[in-house]
Each structure stands twice: as structure tokens, then as C-alpha cells.
Amino acid sequence: MPQTFMEWLQFFMGPAIGALIGYFTNWIAVKMLFRPRKALYIGKWHVPFTPGVIPRRQGALGKALGKMISEMLVRKEDLKESLCSDAVSRTVAKTVIALPSIHQVGTEVLGEEKYGRGRDIVLDFMTDRILQGILAMDLGEIIHREATEAVNAYTNSNPLLKMFVSDQLIATLTAPIAQKVTDFLEADGRVKLREALAEQVEGYEDKPVAELFSDPEKLERVLVNFYRTLVKTYADAVIAHVHIEQIVEDKVRAMDPKEVENLLLMVMKKELNALVWLGVPIGFIMGLVTAIINLI
């Protein structure tokens, strides 16, 4: 064993140098994970180990992350469950209830001109459907039948009047009325019906959504159930077009290598620093073992 101070100094010089080498070796290794960020060339010769490991494998990293996220972290079932959660469902319902008037929302989203055209389309559609329903009821025939029954009921209570008012006479009087009603519906009825609908719509489209309903809590429950039904019905079809794996891969590929480095360092900085400092005891031990062997 060393006896003098100089001998001890020489004995520990090797381990100290080994510790220093271990630190810088690991420091360089960690730096080479991220640097250089681009491939280096001397003339046409590609400098080996450039770019660094992470920039060189950025595409593969994005693909692996995308696959892991889509298959293990953010699955379709998880998305559906999250979308149907109480918090999300109630937030959607409360957002709808808190909307300002239909007119204001429509003009902000579509613009005044497009909103007006859309309003006209809706009114035309409602008018046509209601008119079709009325015509399908054969309102003229209903009026003819009801009027005939009413006249018959009145004349039956008055035998003298019954002698002068026959069924043929009643039909002669009520049939033209029924035809006039049908003709009106097919001609001017559509215009009058549309005007009436437009007047009703104007009374509601400038009111806040919450004022259109007398029971906001009941409305919220209805909206929550409606929203969840929509999610359960159409979520699979929508999510099928949301390719999470491809989105993550494309995002990582498009990132600047410096951004990737910063992202990884946010997660792994402490571990990488520990790895660098781990080189110190390893280098010291290796140097100490070498010194002991030389001493023996």
C-alpha cells in the first residue's frame, strides 16, 4: 500500500481521472441522443452518427407513440366513455341552454345573408310538410261531412224544416264550400300558412334559448339524454375517421428537432442528469480497480 502523500496522490489519481472520464463520456453520450440536429457532410461524405439518435429516429418515434396512444392510452371505448361522462354531457347541455337567441347565433356563425337563406329554406320546408299533411287529411271532404251531419242534426229536431231540406240540398250547399276550401289550400293557402309560420318564428328567434322553455332543469335532462343518444349512435362512425395513430405520427414528424428535445427533456431531464453523474462512480471504481491491480 502507498506510504507517503505522493504515493497516495498517485494511487487516487487514476480513479479521479476515471471519474472525470466517466462523467464526460456519459455527458457526450446523452448529448449525442439529440445533437447534432441535422446530418453533417464534409463534401459529399456523410459524417457518421449525424444527426443524433432522436432526430434520426424521429419518424419511428412518432409511429411508436401513435400506436401506443391509439391502442393503449386513448382507445375508442375510452373516448366514448369520456364523451358520455356526466361532466361532458352536462357541459354540452348547459352550453346549449346558455346560448343567446337563435338569430344571434345563426348570424354569428353563418352571416346575415346565409342565415336569411337558411331561415327561408326551413320555413319553406315546414310550410310544405304542414300543407301536405292538411291536404292528405282531405279537409274539404271533412268539412262537407261535418257540415252535412250538423245540418241533419238541426233539421231532425225540426220536422217542418226537414220537409224542405233534403240530403241532396245539403250536399248541393256543402260540396261547393268543401271545394272552395281545397282550392284555397292549394292556391293561397300556402302563402297564408307561410306568413303565419314566419310570424311565429319571428316571435321566438330573437329570444335566448333559456327563455323558450319554462323548465330549464327539465330541458337540461332532455338535452343530456339527447346528446348521449347521439354519441352512442354515431360515435363509432365519427371516431373511425379520427385516426389518432396517424395524427400523432404526423405531428411528431412535423416537429422541429429542438421541440422534440425540449419535450423529452421535460419528462426525462432528471433521469438523464442522473445517468451523466452515474459515470462518476463507475469511472472512479474502474480507475480504483486498475490502480489496485497495478499496485499488486
Side-chain angles (χ1 to χ4, degrees):
M1 292 292 294
Q3 300 296 322
T4 64
F5 173 77
M6 291 303 298
E7 289 176 342
W8 279 106
L9 183 62
Q10 292 177 356
F11 179 79
F12 281 107
M13 185 66 69
I17 294 174
L20 192 61
I21 292 174
Y23 174 86
F24 280 104
T25 300
N26 285 13
W27 181 81
I28 292 172
V30 169
K31 287 296 181 183
M32 288 181 66
L33 290 173
F34 306 99
R35 310 291 177 84
R37 297 191 179 109
K38 295 182 180 180
L40 301 179
Y41 291 89
I42 299 177
K44 294 184 178 181
W45 180 66
H46 174 229
V47 178
F49 306 109
T50 64
V53 176
I54 301 299
R56 186 168 65 251
R57 301 288 294 168
Q58 190 167 328
L61 174 64
K63 189 175 185 66
L65 281 174
K67 187 174 183 179
M68 181 184 67
I69 290 173
S70 63
E71 293 182 358
M72 300 177 62
L73 301 181
V74 187
R75 299 173 300 171
K76 293 181 179 180
E77 296 77 9
D78 299 326
L79 284 175
K80 287 179 62 176
E81 184 177 347
S82 177
L83 289 173
C84 289
S85 67
D86 286 341
V88 175
S89 301
R90 294 186 180 279
T91 299
V92 172
K94 289 181 182 296
T95 301
V96 173
I97 294 174
L99 287 174
S101 67
I102 297 173
H103 180 249
Q104 182 178 340
V105 174
T107 52
E108 287 178 357
V109 174
L110 302 175
E112 191 69 45
E113 184 178 350
K114 288 185 178 180
Y115 172 78
R117 289 202 300 267
R119 181 177 180 276
D120 290 339
I121 292 173
V122 172
L123 283 173
D124 290 339
F125 175 78
M126 292 172 62
T127 302
D128 291 338
R129 293 303 296 269
I130 293 173
L131 188 59
Q132 288 173 12
I134 294 174
L135 293 174
M137 292 169 56
D138 197 357
L139 190 59
E141 178 60 28
I142 293 174
I143 292 174
H144 170 60
R145 185 174 65 250
E146 293 296 325
T148 301
E149 291 179 359
V151 172
N152 279 329
Y154 181 74
T155 56
N156 287 337
S157 64
N158 192 331
L160 181 61
L161 187 61
K162 181 68 174 176
M163 294 173 59
F164 297 98
V165 181
S166 64
D167 290 342
Q168 184 177 1
L169 179 60
I170 295 173
T172 303
L173 294 173
T174 57
I177 297 175
Q179 187 59 45
K180 284 289 186 181
V181 170
T182 302
D183 292 343
F184 172 78
L185 289 173
E186 293 178 345
D188 298 332
R190 187 183 189 283
V191 176
K192 297 295 184 181
L193 178 59
R194 192 183 188 284
E195 290 175 354
L197 285 174
E199 185 177 345
Q200 290 297 316
V201 169
E202 288 175 1
Y204 288 101
E205 65 179 343
D206 289 326
K207 291 183 178 180
V209 173
E211 293 185 12
L212 299 177
F213 302 89
S214 58
D215 190 347
E217 292 184 0
K218 183 177 180 180
L219 174 61
E220 181 180 337
R221 291 194 297 271
V222 171
L223 289 173
V224 166
N225 292 332
F226 177 68
Y227 166 75
R228 287 176 177 171
T229 300
L230 282 179
V231 171
K232 292 175 182 177
T233 304
Y234 298 105
D236 288 333
V238 174
I239 294 174
H241 295 283
V242 181
H243 304 290
I244 298 175
E245 179 177 350
Q246 191 62 47
I247 292 173
V248 174
E249 180 180 350
D250 292 342
K251 287 289 186 181
V252 174
R253 284 181 181 273
M255 289 177 69
D256 185 270
K258 185 177 181 179
E259 293 178 338
V260 177
E261 178 182 348
N262 292 335
L263 179 64
L264 292 176
L265 287 177
M266 285 175 59
V267 180
M268 303 170 54
K269 186 174 183 179
K270 184 181 294 185
E271 288 74 12
L272 291 176
N273 284 337
L275 180 63
V276 171
W277 284 102
L278 184 61
V280 174
I282 292 176
F284 182 85
I285 293 172
M286 295 300 296
L288 183 62
V289 170
T290 302
I292 293 174
I293 292 174
N294 291 333
L295 183 64
I296 296 174

